[in-house]
Amino acid sequence: MTSARARRAGAAAALALLLAAGCGRDSGSGDAAPDAVADKARGDGSVTISGDDRLADTLTWRAPKVELDNNEVALEDALERADAALEAGDLDAGPGSAIPLYQAVLAHVPDSAPAREGLERAFTALLAEGRQALARAGDDDAALRRAREVAAVARSLRPGGDQVVEYLAGVDRAEEMAEINRAAEVELREGRLGEAGGGALAKVRQALALDADQPRALQTLAAVESAMIRRAEEAASEGDFETAGTWLAHAGEVREDVDTVDDARARVDTERRRWIERLRDDGVAALSKPDGIERARTLLARMLTLAEPGDPAVAELRERIDLAVHYGSFRPGQRFTDAAAGGRGPRMVVVPHGGFTMGAVDGDRDAGDSERPRRNLRFDRGFALSLHEITVAQFRRFVEATGYRTRAERRGFSMAYDERSGNFVRRSGVDWRSDFAGAPAAANLPVVHVSARDAQAYADWLAEVSGERYRLPSEAEFEYALRAGGRGRYPWGDDAPPAGTGNLTGGKDRSPGGRGWSNAFDGYGDGHWGPAPVGSFTANAFGLHDLEGNVSEWVADCWHDSYRRAPTSGAAWVNPGCRMQVVRGGAWASSPPQTRSSWRAPSPVDNTNARVGFRVARDI
């Protein structure tokens, strides 16, 4: 404002002379100013547009009416207000804006140099503002409206000026682009993507033909691709992978050099995998029901339309159908898993029906009265046992699914191996997540530090989520499976264990600190001090791992001092509310006498330590 007032002071005398001349001049006479700015200033600010200009309706500007007295003071004040408005960026919005004020002064004093100069500066600022609005117009409708407003004002000031003509052409392009973009967005919202021609895709490509880098059009293009991908994924979720593939092919033609479609194909393939596995699970479940074979074959046929050749899930269901056709639901030695809570249960092995003699063999010097009297038992129907002990990973799945807290967690300790003393000691913070020494356990180790009640809770959960009759094995079932047809003191016979028999106490075994066993199988070594990953040793004749060693196992029976009055069916001998339960089978830290086939021991149902885990049985 200081510079404007100085300029005003320097031109005061000239303004007075111009006022005298201006007051006697007819603003509509033929003595028009030679340039467009002065010529426009004499009118009311309106421009009549002719021809086929597509923006004619939006480019007519009528200058706001300025009430201005025709005297020196009023005109000087108007010039100062116009300069202030110009500096503030208020160019054309109302009667107090720079351009209307300059025009009002020129209407009274056409030769006013300050008004001409100010109007020229306002015109330059106006075009600059318009160009800035044009730069944003592709993504901002408000900026496009402002660009049109500027176009109307600029055209009224200099109808034929080169800058104005060039600017108007830019507005025209922006308006055309905006219309195309809006039309593309309407097509997109109404679901007409244009995969077969037309639709949103055609519109957006029309826009990009005008400007290959136009952000709004590129955004719509990406949205078209996303809509096609979404349709592909919706089709996949319904199992219609043919339609999903068609939509992915369309999406792949929308944009180049992007990973979105490849990522979508990976998601659809994942969904395909889920469908294949779900069909496999449904087929397996069908086989246990009347007339389930035909249902399973139908599901297999559906799987074959989805899976690649050699798919393992397809092979599994095909084999299960073949077994059902030729052997009924199961066969001796068969391994299987059940669907359980969105995943798979433990691998099971069908133990064949048959008979055996339970209890200590005659002349066994290490046997106690609890292993007698010997008795003959027969299983008229086979049953299934888990291939190996339940692992840490399998138990974790149960805990995560149910929120179950084990006995060791609730009381805060368990019995773990202490390397310094070579004994088992009470150690705080040890639970099912821990290994034999209390360190974090690997997922494929047998779970230890679990009580009999913890083991029963896992079996109950597995039965619930699978719909099958899972349970802890009976003591008779355990010994029958452990012997696997043998009649010796040990599962492998009467002599020393052959190499690779199992995780036993061997004379060659050494702890991390160099300790050895004081009572062990001479000359035997298995390379482990503590439990080994399940299944690390050869399966027995029934196809089961680790029954003779690794960890001892809880069975369902309550403890009784002998087999007198035990069930003759081989079922578990259970008394309501019993506090002591039976542990069977040798462990990594068991002496040779504790590895005998008939060995059994009592343990409180809440006891937990690093030597005892469990496996599950299932009725078939």
Side-chain angles (χ1 to χ4, degrees):
M1 290 300 294
T2 302
S3 61
R5 287 176 178 170
R7 188 168 61 254
R8 296 285 79 76
L15 180 60
L17 293 174
L18 289 170
L19 277 169
C23 290
R25 175 176 292 177
D26 182 359
S27 62
S29 70
D31 297 330
D35 64 314
V37 174
D39 181 65
K40 181 68 195 81
R42 294 191 190 94
D44 60 5
S46 66
V47 176
T48 301
I49 301 173
S50 61
D52 59 356
D53 191 329
R54 63 193 299 272
L55 297 176
D57 291 339
T58 61
L59 295 186
T60 298
W61 180 68
R62 191 171 300 277
K65 186 175 181 180
V66 178
E67 298 291 341
L68 186 62
D69 293 336
N70 191 10
N71 60 66
E72 180 180 353
V73 174
L75 294 173
E76 175 65 21
D77 178 67
L79 284 171
E80 290 185 356
R81 286 189 289 124
D83 287 343
L86 176 57
E87 290 184 13
D90 180 7
L91 302 177
D92 59 295
S97 300
I99 291 174
L101 286 170
Y102 286 131
Q103 287 182 318
V105 173
L106 288 169
H108 289 290
V109 188
D111 296 329
S112 170
R116 285 174 176 273
E117 178 190 347
L119 188 57
E120 180 64 28
R121 286 187 290 119
F123 173 76
T124 301
L126 181 73
L127 280 184
E129 182 180 342
R131 292 187 182 104
Q132 290 176 355
L134 270 182
R136 304 191 308 275
D139 304 302
D140 186 344
D141 287 341
L144 180 57
R145 286 194 297 273
R146 179 55 184 158
R148 286 199 298 264
E149 292 169 357
V150 169
V153 178
R155 186 166 183 167
S156 72
L157 294 178
R158 291 187 177 177
D162 291 342
Q163 288 183 304
V164 173
V165 170
E166 179 184 356
Y167 177 74
L168 290 176
V171 174
D172 189 66
R173 287 192 300 273
E175 179 64 28
E176 181 182 6
M177 180 71 75
E179 288 182 4
I180 295 172
N181 278 331
R182 283 192 291 270
E185 290 161 1
V186 169
E187 296 286 325
L188 177 62
R189 283 196 301 272
E190 295 182 357
R192 295 187 291 271
L193 304 184
E195 67 280 358
L201 192 56
K203 293 291 184 184
V204 76
R205 283 175 172 161
Q206 182 182 354
L208 292 172
L210 297 176
D211 182 355
D213 298 320
Q214 209 282 314
R216 185 172 178 179
L218 290 173
Q219 183 178 8
T220 303
L221 188 69
V224 169
E225 179 190 75
S226 295
M228 291 177 174
I229 289 173
R230 185 165 54 253
R231 291 187 183 184
E233 292 177 337
E234 288 171 353
S237 69
E238 296 174 358
D240 186 356
F241 291 94
E242 182 177 356
T243 298
T246 299
W247 279 114
L248 286 176
H250 290 317
E253 296 174 355
V254 173
R255 297 191 296 170
E256 297 179 353
D257 302 325
V258 293
D259 296 330
T260 49
V261 177
D262 289 339
D263 293 342
R265 283 197 175 93
R267 292 192 297 273
V268 168
D269 286 343
T270 299
E271 184 65 21
R272 185 193 303 271
R273 183 78 251 151
R274 281 197 288 265
W275 268 87
I276 291 170
E277 293 177 353
R278 187 183 310 152
L279 289 166
R280 184 268 315 277
D281 293 346
D282 290 346
V284 171
L287 290 174
S288 63
K289 300 175 182 178
D291 301 323
I293 291 175
E294 290 306 313
R295 170 63 177 161
R297 283 173 171 165
T298 299
L299 294 171
L300 177 61
R302 175 74 175 120
M303 290 174 68
L304 290 171
T305 67
L306 304 181
E308 296 292 332
D311 186 279
V314 172
E316 179 185 353
L317 182 56
R318 182 183 284 116
E319 179 183 2
R320 297 292 291 270
I321 292 172
D322 289 342
L323 289 173
V325 170
H326 298 291
Y327 302 102
S329 297
F330 297 96
R331 62 177 174 82
Q334 177 184 338
R335 296 182 181 184
F336 67 93
T337 61
D338 289 313
R344 309 299 300 176
R347 297 181 70 187
M348 306 296 292
V349 178
V350 176
V351 178
H353 75 278
F356 82 115
T357 302
M358 183 175 180
V361 298
D362 293 338
D364 186 345
R365 61 186 180 278
D366 294 315
D369 290 341
S370 67
E371 301 172 26
R372 299 185 176 94
R374 300 188 74 194
R375 59 203 187 107
N376 295 323
L377 291 176
R378 182 167 187 84
F379 296 99
D380 293 327
R381 183 175 178 84
F383 58 91
L385 286 178
S386 53
L387 180 65
H388 44 63
E389 304 105 335
I390 297 303
T391 65
V392 173
Q394 289 166 337
F395 197 80
R396 175 179 288 110
R397 185 170 163 229
F398 154 64
V399 171
E400 290 176 349
T402 63
Y404 182 84
R405 298 187 73 236
T406 63
R407 176 63 175 168
E409 287 179 280
R410 286 183 281 112
R411 70 186 178 189
F413 69 88
S414 185
M415 300 297 290
Y417 175 76
D418 177 57
E419 174 66 22
R420 289 188 303 174
S421 65
N423 295 319
F424 290 88
V425 299
R426 173 173 164 171
R427 182 162 295 165
S428 298
V430 173
D431 57 36
W432 64 269
R433 303 174 184 84
S434 309
D435 68 5
F436 75 105
N444 61 350
L445 286 175
V447 66
V448 291
H449 306 295
V450 288
S451 69
R453 288 173 175 167
D454 298 333
Q456 186 63 54
Y458 174 89
D460 291 343
W461 168 79
L462 189 57
E464 178 181 358
V465 297
S466 69
E468 303 295 344
R469 291 169 292 182
Y470 281 93
R471 53 183 174 76
L472 293 182
S474 72
E475 186 176 4
E477 287 172 334
F478 187 96
E479 186 172 331
Y480 174 64
L482 173 66
R483 290 184 179 275
R487 298 182 180 182
R489 292 184 71 221
Y490 301 105
W492 56 85
D494 292 324
D495 300 322
T501 295
N503 185 12
L504 313 172
T505 50
K508 294 181 179 180
D509 292 338
R510 291 293 179 269
S511 75
R515 291 181 176 275
W517 299 114
S518 60
N519 187 6
F521 291 103
D522 291 339
Y524 184 81
D526 52 57
H528 293 277
W529 191 277
V534 296
S536 296
F537 298 90
T538 304
N540 71 3
F542 284 171
L544 296 161
H545 290 273
D546 304 324
L547 283 165
E548 63 284 295
N550 214 24
V551 296
S552 299
E553 301 179 24
W554 291 108
V555 293
D557 299 62
C558 297
W559 173 257
H560 297 84
D561 291 338
S562 75
Y563 291 135
R564 291 183 178 86
R565 296 184 300 279
T568 59
S569 64
W573 191 2
V574 177
N575 303 112
C578 68
R579 301 293 300 171
M580 302 291 285
Q581 210 153 309
V582 179
V583 171
R584 293 298 304 251
W588 62 274
S590 296
S591 67
Q594 293 171 332
T595 312
R596 295 175 300 112
S597 297
S598 61
W599 177 81
R600 59 195 296 261
S603 181
V605 294
D606 287 330
N607 189 39
T608 66
N609 60 59
R611 293 175 51 175
V612 180
F614 70 99
R615 75 180 66 214
V616 292
R618 177 193 185 281
D619 293 334
I620 59 173

